Amino acid sequence: MPAGPHLRDIHLPPPASWWPLAPGWWLLIGIALLLLAWLVWRGYRRRLPRRRWRAANRELDALQAAHAAEHDDAAFAAGVSQLLRRAASLRHPASVGLRGQTWHAAMRDLAGKKEPAPVLLTLEDAMYRPAATLDAAEVASAARQWLRRVLMQGRRHA
């Protein structure tokens, strides 16, 4: 009598490979990448006002140094005025073309309804007068305060 069927040994399947990943892992990786991209974007946006403020501060320092060397009040007034208008254009692009009282009102609105220093309101006239006299230190100080309010204002909301 036969002793029964002749069976071969049991062979285990090969161990499961880690690659390709299961769909759940791909989803988790995608979420992690989106979170990382969002964090990088948010960090960039939070630092942007400070970078703009530092750049404006450096430019104002350069204008002061040029004024100290040349003593040209009209050129200094024009340079500071251009810097203020470029800073204003970051928040309100239409403000670049404003003149006179509308520019003064825009300066006040951009600085959080705070009235700009009177010396900043004289820059428009000073840059066109050949015999203009300005206190460069006072103008630079007032410009720094206004620029800080305008450029760092977005940081409060971030």
Side-chain angles (χ1 to χ4, degrees):
M1 279 231 153
H6 184 348
L7 299 176
R8 293 185 288 170
D9 287 337
I10 297 175
H11 294 283
L12 296 175
S17 172
W18 63 274
W19 193 262
L21 296 176
W25 284 109
W26 286 110
L27 181 64
L28 191 61
I29 290 169
I31 290 171
L33 287 175
L34 285 174
L35 180 64
L36 180 65
W38 178 76
L39 287 172
V40 167
W41 176 79
R42 183 176 167 152
Y44 173 78
R45 295 291 293 169
R46 286 182 61 99
R47 287 182 180 88
L48 187 61
R50 180 147 316 268
R51 280 195 304 269
R52 286 178 175 163
W53 158 243
R54 285 182 184 151
N57 211 14
R58 282 190 303 270
E59 188 170 340
L60 197 52
D61 288 341
L63 287 170
Q64 274 188 291
H67 179 264
E70 300 168 7
H71 301 291
D72 186 357
D73 287 334
F76 180 70
V80 172
S81 180
Q82 287 175 357
L83 178 61
L84 297 179
R85 287 180 182 278
R86 277 186 287 143
S89 73
L90 294 172
R91 300 249 329 275
H92 191 267
S95 67
V96 175
L98 300 177
R99 299 280 182 254
Q101 293 301 320
T102 54
W103 168 240
H104 299 164
M107 286 178 73
R108 182 182 58 251
D109 292 343
L110 288 169
K113 303 291 184 194
K114 184 167 180 169
E115 198 65 39
V119 71
L120 294 181
L121 303 178
T122 64
L123 289 177
E124 264 185 323
D125 292 334
M127 64 185 182
Y128 295 113
R129 293 184 190 269
T133 55
L134 289 175
D135 181 1
E138 182 183 0
V139 170
S141 175
R144 277 184 219 286
Q145 290 174 2
W146 188 84
L147 286 166
R148 185 166 187 83
R149 279 195 301 269
V150 171
L151 295 176
M152 297 298 285
Q153 194 169 20
R155 188 173 171 85
R156 292 186 206 126
H157 302 297

